[in-house]
Amino acid sequence: MDSLYALAHGFSIALTFQNLGLALIGCFLGTIIGALPGLGPSNGVAILIPLAFTLGLPATPALILLTSVYYGAMYGGRISSILLNIPGDEPALMTTLDGYPMAKKGMAGEALALSGLASFVGAFFATWGLVFLAPQLVKVALLFGPAEYFALFALAFATLGGIASKNQAKAALAAGLGLGIAMIGVDGQTGVPRFSFGEVHLYDGIDFLVAIAGLFALSEVFIFLEHRGTAKATGDASGVKLGRITPPWSMIKQTAPTMARSTVLGFLAGVLPGAGASLGSFIAYSVEKRLVDKDKTFGTGDPRGVAAPEAGNNAAAGGALVPMLALGVPGSGTTAVLLAMLLALNITPGPLLFTANPDVVWGLIAALFIGNFMLLIMNIPMVSLFVRVLLVPSRYLMPAVAMISFVGIYGISGSTFDLMVMVFFGVLGWVLRKLDVPLVPVILGVLLGNQMEANLRRAMTISDGEWSTLVASPLAIGLWAFAFFGFILPIVAGRFFRSKLPRTDSDTDPD
């Protein structure tokens, strides 16, 4: 009941003119970003973080804007998957299996509307899961000491590559690089500069917002420049006929059990650190295919094959917010970027967040409910508008991305040095993407590196330098065990998982 009272208070915060307007703008922009192949929710949120600071938004409105973009991008990823057979982001890969065949049958409008409804069901009930599960997880987190937090951060690094990771060694390399970047600056305990090379600007360390804008936004621009802007548009949707844009009642009735099962599976996958929406989408589709595909219609345009992955990946997106808010450990790549936003606002996610900043947490959760209804209303009658976005040439979109990044970062710090650092991270991101090294572990290392070091030092100080304190409690041992299996599982099961994913012409980053 306490959660319901707190949620009611959250609605009193979210239902202001400013917050409703920001939620609407975020949902609209997020859907567009999700529909454009290659961008995805991580890049979309990263691009708009500098803009949120430039506008001078307080903590709650800024988070409402960015989480609305996150949810909107999860909705939007289905559009290019269904119309072009090119997923807007990795979780939308499974939607191509039955979504594109439905479009070829002249049922594109029905597929888009049904997938929008499934996305709503998954996200809506996942948000309810967030309401009730996050406060319970906070009670467990209050049992954590420095050794347990160090093990928890190790678990985050071990699992963030996810089961879809192509190379765990590269994910570990990326995490090590991020931790190294986090060490730059004056040591908070000894006062000794580390890796600053005599540059005064580096004494304060690397601003993670600068790193995020460079690694995600500018690297996307450099990828575009590498191809010399030859892509005239993100896809060719000009010949697609939408047809009916509302699914018949019989189709909704047929897919309702599918949506329910996929929502539960997706939410559970999202709560696991590092699993993310990709695993939620895959599990939902695979389980549904085993349960109901008696006539072997999956892969030929079965509506249940569209509803399952969309409900699963949107439920996983909501589930990924649970460990981020309750433990301070991101459940996916996009929540890692949102974690950076919280830290930049001097808000520390974790057990104390629900007591120290209840207005921020419950206002955000209430806004997610409102945003879901906005997205449902927006994604059915306005489908034809979002389809037209696919015709916009990239040569117009990429300069806008670069402009927002430069103006936003300069507006935050007023430092030209930060702009040069951002360009450096943009080049670094471009190189890492060329080498197929994931970017999210780099960001996680930059975000959590100092906290991980602080907890290690605190644990060592309390135990008088005894390393066994790191595995002295059953909770710590359990976290280390999960970390070990979380790192090994993708190596064992990842090949099977990736073999089931559809092949596409688009390379996308994890959500």
Side-chain angles (χ1 to χ4, degrees), residues 47 103-104 108 173 214 252 333:
I47 290 168
K104 290 198 294 185
L173 172 66
I252 296 175

Side-chain angles (χ1 to χ4, degrees), residues 60-94:
T60 303
L63 287 170
I64 287 174
L65 172 65
L66 295 177
T67 50
S68 297
V69 171
Y70 177 27
Y71 268 35
M74 296 305 298
Y75 271 70
R78 77 197 200 285
I79 296 177
S80 56
S81 297
I82 292 171
L83 298 181
L84 305 175
N85 202 30
I86 302 174
D89 53 12
E90 189 173 295
L93 276 170
M94 304 306 295

Side-chain angles (χ1 to χ4, degrees), residues 282-305:
F282 172 76
I283 289 179
Y285 186 91
S286 300
V287 170
E288 200 61 26
K289 184 175 181 180
R290 287 181 179 274
L291 287 177
V292 303
D293 189 22
K294 308 301 182 185
D295 300 324
K296 306 298 181 184
T297 56
F298 272 51
T300 63
D302 192 314
R304 295 169 296 183

